[in-house]
Short mmCIF file of all heavy atoms in Angstrom, two decimals:
data_model
loop_
_atom_site.label_atom_id
_atom_site.label_comp_id
_atom_site.label_asym_id
_atom_site.label_seq_id
_atom_site.Cartn_x
_atom_site.Cartn_y
_atom_site.Cartn_z
N VAL A 741 1.72 -2.32 -0.86
CA VAL A 741 1.64 -1.41 -2.06
C VAL A 741 0.92 -2.18 -3.14
O VAL A 741 1.42 -3.18 -3.64
CB VAL A 741 3.05 -0.99 -2.54
CG1 VAL A 741 2.91 -0.06 -3.76
CG2 VAL A 741 3.82 -0.25 -1.43
N LYS A 749 4.78 -0.40 -8.73
CA LYS A 749 4.86 -0.97 -7.37
C LYS A 749 6.30 -1.30 -6.93
O LYS A 749 6.72 -0.96 -5.84
CB LYS A 749 4.02 -2.27 -7.31
CG LYS A 749 2.54 -2.07 -7.56
CD LYS A 749 1.75 -3.35 -7.37
CE LYS A 749 2.00 -4.37 -8.44
NZ LYS A 749 1.57 -3.93 -9.79
N THR A 750 7.07 -1.91 -7.86
CA THR A 750 8.42 -2.32 -7.47
C THR A 750 9.28 -1.11 -7.21
O THR A 750 10.01 -1.02 -6.21
CB THR A 750 9.04 -3.19 -8.60
OG1 THR A 750 8.16 -4.28 -8.88
CG2 THR A 750 10.40 -3.72 -8.18
N MET A 751 9.30 -0.13 -8.14
CA MET A 751 10.11 1.06 -7.93
C MET A 751 9.71 1.83 -6.67
O MET A 751 10.56 2.28 -5.93
CB MET A 751 9.95 1.97 -9.17
CG MET A 751 10.76 3.26 -9.08
SD MET A 751 12.55 2.90 -9.10
CE MET A 751 12.77 2.60 -10.86
N SER A 753 8.40 0.64 -4.00
CA SER A 753 8.85 -0.13 -2.83
C SER A 753 10.33 0.00 -2.59
O SER A 753 10.77 0.13 -1.45
CB SER A 753 8.44 -1.59 -3.01
OG SER A 753 7.05 -1.73 -3.05
N LEU A 779 14.80 -8.07 -2.02
CA LEU A 779 13.55 -8.16 -2.78
C LEU A 779 13.30 -9.61 -3.08
O LEU A 779 14.12 -10.27 -3.72
CB LEU A 779 13.64 -7.32 -4.05
CG LEU A 779 12.36 -7.21 -4.86
CD1 LEU A 779 12.21 -5.81 -5.49
CD2 LEU A 779 12.33 -8.27 -6.01
N ILE A 780 12.17 -10.12 -2.65
CA ILE A 780 11.72 -11.51 -2.99
C ILE A 780 10.93 -11.38 -4.29
O ILE A 780 9.84 -10.82 -4.33
CB ILE A 780 10.88 -12.10 -1.85
CG1 ILE A 780 11.72 -12.18 -0.56
CG2 ILE A 780 10.34 -13.47 -2.24
CD1 ILE A 780 10.90 -12.64 0.65
N ASP A 781 11.48 -11.92 -5.35
CA ASP A 781 10.99 -11.65 -6.72
C ASP A 781 10.24 -12.90 -7.28
O ASP A 781 10.80 -13.98 -7.36
CB ASP A 781 12.17 -11.33 -7.61
CG ASP A 781 11.75 -11.01 -9.05
OD1 ASP A 781 10.57 -10.80 -9.28
OD2 ASP A 781 12.63 -10.98 -9.91
N THR A 782 8.97 -12.67 -7.61
CA THR A 782 8.19 -13.73 -8.25
C THR A 782 7.94 -13.45 -9.73
O THR A 782 7.22 -14.15 -10.36
CB THR A 782 6.78 -13.86 -7.59
OG1 THR A 782 6.04 -12.64 -7.83
CG2 THR A 782 6.95 -14.07 -6.08
N GLU A 783 8.61 -12.41 -10.25
CA GLU A 783 8.30 -11.91 -11.59
C GLU A 783 9.39 -12.30 -12.59
O GLU A 783 9.81 -11.49 -13.42
CB GLU A 783 8.12 -10.40 -11.57
CG GLU A 783 7.07 -9.90 -10.61
CD GLU A 783 5.64 -10.11 -11.13
OE1 GLU A 783 5.50 -10.55 -12.30
OE2 GLU A 783 4.69 -9.85 -10.39
N SER A 784 9.89 -13.52 -12.51
CA SER A 784 10.84 -14.09 -13.50
C SER A 784 12.10 -13.23 -13.62
O SER A 784 12.61 -13.03 -14.72
CB SER A 784 10.17 -14.21 -14.86
OG SER A 784 9.04 -15.03 -14.75
N SER A 786 12.50 -10.02 -13.05
CA SER A 786 12.36 -8.60 -13.41
C SER A 786 12.66 -7.68 -12.23
O SER A 786 12.94 -6.51 -12.41
CB SER A 786 10.92 -8.32 -13.89
OG SER A 786 9.99 -8.56 -12.87
N GLY A 787 12.64 -8.25 -11.02
CA GLY A 787 12.96 -7.40 -9.84
C GLY A 787 14.37 -6.92 -9.79
O GLY A 787 14.72 -6.03 -9.01
N TYR A 790 16.16 -2.93 -11.87
CA TYR A 790 16.11 -1.52 -11.47
C TYR A 790 17.46 -0.98 -10.98
O TYR A 790 17.60 0.24 -10.75
CB TYR A 790 15.08 -1.33 -10.38
CG TYR A 790 13.68 -1.65 -10.82
CD1 TYR A 790 13.19 -2.97 -10.77
CD2 TYR A 790 12.83 -0.69 -11.39
CE1 TYR A 790 11.92 -3.30 -11.21
CE2 TYR A 790 11.56 -1.00 -11.83
CZ TYR A 790 11.14 -2.33 -11.73
OH TYR A 790 9.88 -2.66 -12.20
N PHE A 817 7.24 -18.65 0.42
CA PHE A 817 7.42 -17.27 0.81
C PHE A 817 7.88 -17.15 2.27
O PHE A 817 8.72 -16.31 2.60
CB PHE A 817 6.07 -16.51 0.65
CG PHE A 817 5.71 -16.27 -0.77
CD1 PHE A 817 5.13 -17.28 -1.54
CD2 PHE A 817 5.87 -15.02 -1.38
CE1 PHE A 817 4.76 -17.06 -2.87
CE2 PHE A 817 5.53 -14.79 -2.67
CZ PHE A 817 4.99 -15.84 -3.44
N ILE A 833 11.22 -6.76 0.73
CA ILE A 833 10.17 -6.45 -0.21
C ILE A 833 9.68 -7.77 -0.81
O ILE A 833 10.49 -8.52 -1.34
CB ILE A 833 10.65 -5.52 -1.32
CG1 ILE A 833 11.19 -4.19 -0.72
CG2 ILE A 833 9.53 -5.23 -2.33
CD1 ILE A 833 11.96 -3.35 -1.74
N ILE A 834 8.38 -8.01 -0.76
CA ILE A 834 7.80 -9.18 -1.39
C ILE A 834 7.12 -8.72 -2.67
O ILE A 834 6.11 -8.01 -2.62
CB ILE A 834 6.80 -9.88 -0.46
CG1 ILE A 834 7.44 -10.23 0.89
CG2 ILE A 834 6.25 -11.16 -1.10
CD1 ILE A 834 6.50 -10.73 1.92
N ASP A 835 7.60 -9.16 -3.82
CA ASP A 835 7.13 -8.65 -5.10
C ASP A 835 6.84 -9.80 -6.08
O ASP A 835 7.71 -10.22 -6.82
CB ASP A 835 8.22 -7.72 -5.68
CG ASP A 835 7.74 -6.95 -6.89
OD1 ASP A 835 6.54 -6.62 -6.96
OD2 ASP A 835 8.57 -6.65 -7.78
N SER A 836 5.61 -10.39 -6.03
CA SER A 836 4.48 -9.80 -5.34
C SER A 836 3.84 -10.93 -4.46
O SER A 836 3.91 -12.13 -4.77
CB SER A 836 3.45 -9.27 -6.31
OG SER A 836 2.71 -10.32 -6.92
N LEU A 837 3.18 -10.46 -3.41
CA LEU A 837 2.48 -11.34 -2.49
C LEU A 837 1.31 -12.03 -3.15
O LEU A 837 0.89 -13.12 -2.74
CB LEU A 837 2.04 -10.52 -1.28
CG LEU A 837 1.47 -11.32 -0.09
CD1 LEU A 837 2.50 -12.25 0.50
CD2 LEU A 837 0.92 -10.34 0.98
N SER A 838 0.77 -11.39 -4.19
CA SER A 838 -0.42 -11.98 -4.88
C SER A 838 -0.13 -13.37 -5.41
O SER A 838 -1.07 -14.19 -5.52
CB SER A 838 -0.84 -11.06 -6.04
OG SER A 838 -1.33 -9.83 -5.56
N HIS A 839 1.11 -13.68 -5.76
CA HIS A 839 1.40 -15.00 -6.28
C HIS A 839 1.18 -16.11 -5.24
O HIS A 839 0.88 -17.25 -5.59
CB HIS A 839 2.85 -15.04 -6.76
CG HIS A 839 3.07 -14.38 -8.10
ND1 HIS A 839 3.15 -13.04 -8.26
CD2 HIS A 839 3.22 -14.93 -9.33
CE1 HIS A 839 3.33 -12.75 -9.50
NE2 HIS A 839 3.38 -13.87 -10.21
N ILE A 887 7.65 -4.78 3.15
CA ILE A 887 6.84 -4.07 2.14
C ILE A 887 6.34 -5.15 1.19
O ILE A 887 7.10 -5.84 0.51
CB ILE A 887 7.67 -3.04 1.38
CG1 ILE A 887 8.26 -1.99 2.34
CG2 ILE A 887 6.81 -2.34 0.32
CD1 ILE A 887 9.19 -0.99 1.66
N ALA A 888 5.01 -5.36 1.15
CA ALA A 888 4.40 -6.41 0.36
C ALA A 888 3.68 -5.79 -0.83
O ALA A 888 2.74 -5.00 -0.66
CB ALA A 888 3.46 -7.25 1.18
N ASN A 889 4.10 -6.12 -2.05
CA ASN A 889 3.40 -5.64 -3.23
C ASN A 889 2.31 -6.60 -3.64
O ASN A 889 2.49 -7.84 -3.52
CB ASN A 889 4.39 -5.51 -4.40
CG ASN A 889 5.44 -4.40 -4.16
OD1 ASN A 889 5.20 -3.53 -3.32
ND2 ASN A 889 6.52 -4.45 -4.86
N MET A 890 1.17 -6.07 -4.09
CA MET A 890 0.05 -6.88 -4.52
C MET A 890 -0.56 -6.32 -5.76
O MET A 890 -0.61 -5.09 -5.95
CB MET A 890 -0.99 -6.98 -3.39
CG MET A 890 -0.53 -7.74 -2.16
SD MET A 890 -1.77 -7.84 -0.85
CE MET A 890 -1.73 -6.18 -0.19
#
Side-chain angles (χ1 to χ4, degrees):
V741 179
K749 297 185 290 297
T750 306
M751 180 67 77
S753 297
L779 186 143
I780 298 173
D781 181 15
T782 66
E783 304 284 354
S784 303
S786 64
Y790 298 87
F817 288 78
I833 301 169
I834 305 173
D835 189 31
S836 75
L837 188 62
S838 293
H839 283 78
I887 302 175
N889 294 341
M890 294 181 284

